[in-house]
């Protein structure tokens, strides 16, 4: 490759990664090579600004500019009319780094993870063909309601930010299959997310969730639900702590399960009362209980709150 010792290429692919290039280095590439390149790799170099000469790669469909020190993406990138994938991880980009007309691109995959965005750039919300958007490991504090405009979105990765709430408008993404919101500060999930009928994976670990809305369990396509590291799971595990039955209860179960007859003539009155109360236990969780229910009625009432899902109902999701 002219001018680049160590550069590698294949049919339509130009790999210039890890060559210590700066923002002027692309100027020495031949016109023919630029025109023939469909995939361009510029990761792990020394670029601080995406060079204007990028627009000369007129056939470009895939561009990887990750792991540089980019703080600005030039206006000329909007002339790449065939560009479908832009990977710009681990740079110094902010919401002020993008050209005004960035939203005119026909991108399907955009990865801005590991940058310095404090809000989702408005230009990104204009990419109506976008299928995958990654903004993990930034400084986002919120998800804009305008996210609903990205109706082609299938994957949304927002893990590792400072997001505290989820807008109801997120439920208006009909094709969304993978939603990653882990490692944030989210305290609640809007019940409207049950409208995400295509959702297959929901990552919510390491947040501040204390409950899930019952509606989440109606997501029939959901295969993965990650909740570790939330107060909700701590309570759930505590509820699962095994409390072995006493010898008295085991003996009582045997009497009841085998329908053995007993009366005050056979047993002391306190044992008869103990066995009699087994069939009158009001706790639905104690189907085989032979002792008076020891659970707190108020606690059970709290777990049936309309805004929460009791821990025992979460078991099939958490352990599935």
């Amino acid at each position: 490759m002219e001018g680049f010792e160590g550069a590698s290429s294949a049919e339509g692919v130009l790999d210039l990664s890890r060559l210590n290039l700066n923002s002027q280095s692309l100027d020495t590439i031949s016109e023919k090579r630029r025109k023939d390149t469909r995939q361009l790799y510029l990761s792990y170099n020394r670029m601080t600004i995406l060079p204007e000469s990028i627009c000369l790669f007129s056939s470009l469909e895939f561009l990887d500019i990750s792991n540089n020190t980019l703080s600005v993406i030039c206006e000329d990138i909007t002339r790449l009319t065939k560009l479908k994938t832009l990977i710009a991880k681990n740079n110094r980009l902010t919401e002020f780094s993008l050209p005004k007309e960035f939203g005119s691109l026909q991108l399907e995959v955009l990865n801005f993870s590991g940058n310095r965005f404090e809000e989702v750039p408005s230009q990104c919300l204009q990419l109506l063909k976008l299928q995958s958007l990654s903004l993990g490991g930034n400084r986002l504090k919120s998800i804009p309601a305008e996210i609903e405009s990205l109706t082609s979105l299938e994957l949304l990765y927002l893990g590792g930010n400072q997001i505290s709430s989820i807008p109801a408008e997120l439920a208006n993404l009909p094709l969304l299959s993978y939603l990653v919101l882990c490692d944030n500060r989210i305290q609640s999930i809007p019940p409207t997310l049950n409208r995400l009928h295509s959702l297959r994976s929901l990552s919510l670990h390491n947040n501040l969730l204390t409950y899930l809305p019952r509606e989440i369990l109606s997501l029939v396509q959901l295969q993965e639900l990650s909740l570790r590291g939330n107060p909700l799971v701590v309570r759930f595990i505590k509820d699962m702590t095994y409390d072995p039955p006493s010898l008295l209860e085991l003996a009582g179960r045997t009497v009841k399960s085998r329908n053995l007859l007993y009366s005050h003539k056979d047993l002391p009155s306190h044992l008869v009362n103990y066995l009699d109360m087994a069939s009158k236990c009001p706790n639905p969780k104690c189907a085989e209980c032979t002792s008076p229910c020891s659970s707190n009625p108020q606690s059970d009432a709290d777990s049936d709150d309309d805004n929460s899902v009791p821990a025992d109902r979460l078991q099939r999701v958490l352990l599935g």
Side-chain angles (χ1 to χ4, degrees):
M1 196 62 53
E2 64 269 19
F4 295 112
E5 183 180 356
S8 61
S9 65
E11 185 76 27
V13 178
L14 179 58
D15 188 352
L16 301 177
S17 57
R18 301 179 185 274
L19 295 179
N20 208 29
L21 306 182
N22 58 37
S23 299
Q24 288 74 46
S25 300
L26 297 183
D27 297 338
T28 61
I29 299 176
S30 69
E31 180 180 353
K32 181 180 185 304
R33 187 56 183 155
R34 291 169 176 167
K35 184 177 180 180
D36 291 343
T37 299
R38 296 192 303 275
Q39 296 182 29
L40 177 60
Y41 295 84
L42 293 171
S43 58
Y44 292 97
N45 282 295
R46 294 188 296 114
M47 294 184 174
T48 56
I49 299 175
L50 187 63
E52 296 178 0
S53 55
I54 194 68
C55 68
L56 301 177
F57 292 81
S58 56
S59 300
L60 205 61
E61 299 174 5
F62 177 102
L63 175 60
D64 187 348
I65 51 176
S66 301
N67 297 286
N68 281 279
T69 55
L70 291 170
S71 57
V72 176
I73 293 181
C74 63
E75 187 79 35
D76 297 82
I77 196 174
T78 61
R79 295 168 61 183
L80 298 176
T81 58
K82 297 182 180 180
L83 190 65
K84 297 291 188 294
T85 299
L86 175 60
I87 312 296
K89 300 182 295 181
N90 303 325
N91 282 288
R92 299 177 182 176
L93 301 173
T94 72
E95 53 270 26
F96 306 108
S97 300
L98 306 183
K100 183 177 179 181
E101 300 300 321
F102 185 81
S104 66
L105 288 167
Q106 302 301 302
L107 290 176
E108 296 176 359
V109 176
L110 176 60
N111 193 328
F112 277 153
S113 292
N115 280 282
R116 300 179 179 180
F117 292 98
E118 294 188 5
E119 60 184 55
V120 178
S122 59
Q123 297 96 317
C124 294
L125 302 173
Q126 300 167 9
L127 299 168
L128 301 186
K129 293 188 177 181
L130 204 61
Q131 299 174 16
S132 174
L133 174 61
S134 299
L135 280 161
N138 278 279
R139 303 170 183 176
L140 303 179
K141 295 180 176 61
S142 62
I143 304 173
E146 292 78 9
I147 195 76
E148 66 180 353
S149 64
L150 302 179
T151 54
S152 298
L153 207 60
E154 298 178 13
L155 182 149
L156 179 59
Y157 192 108
L158 298 175
N161 282 285
Q162 302 169 29
I163 298 168
S164 59
S165 62
I166 302 173
E169 289 80 3
L170 189 63
N172 297 329
L173 299 176
L175 303 181
L176 192 64
S177 299
Y178 300 92
L179 177 57
V180 181
L181 296 169
C182 60
D183 300 290
N184 278 286
R185 301 173 182 176
I186 299 169
Q187 300 182 44
S188 63
I189 305 297
T192 52
L193 288 194
N194 71 335
R195 300 205 308 269
L196 293 173
H197 301 301
S198 299
L199 196 63
R200 298 176 59 188
S201 177
L202 177 57
S203 295
L204 293 166
H205 52 271
N206 299 328
N207 276 285
L208 302 175
L209 297 172
T210 57
Y211 68 88
L212 283 183
R214 295 176 183 274
E215 289 81 359
I216 292 297
L217 297 181
S218 67
L219 292 170
V220 295
Q221 299 297 326
L222 194 64
Q223 298 176 6
E224 282 186 331
L225 175 57
S226 176
L227 292 170
R228 69 182 184 276
N230 281 282
L232 167 68
V233 178
V234 174
R235 186 180 67 184
F236 173 71
I237 297 299
K238 183 178 179 181
D239 288 347
M240 288 185 64
T241 302
Y242 182 59
D243 185 13
S246 65
L247 291 176
L248 175 62
E249 184 170 346
L250 289 173
R253 287 182 184 181
T254 301
V255 171
K256 299 297 288 188
S257 64
R258 298 189 180 184
N259 294 318
L260 299 178
L261 298 177
Y262 60 89
S263 69
H264 289 281
K265 296 179 181 180
D266 307 310
L267 299 172
S269 59
H270 71 281
L271 294 180
V272 172
N273 292 336
Y274 180 87
L275 291 168
D276 286 345
M277 288 192 68
S279 60
K280 300 175 183 178
C281 178
N283 189 342
K285 298 180 183 179
C286 299
E288 297 181 2
C289 179
T290 62
S291 63
C293 179
S294 59
S295 62
N296 186 337
Q298 182 59 44
S299 171
D300 288 338
D302 290 343
S303 69
D304 272 337
D305 189 290
D306 286 340
N307 294 321
S308 65
V309 177
D312 58 334
R313 297 192 186 185
L314 282 174
Q315 186 170 358
R316 63 187 178 91
V317 178
L318 288 169
L319 304 181

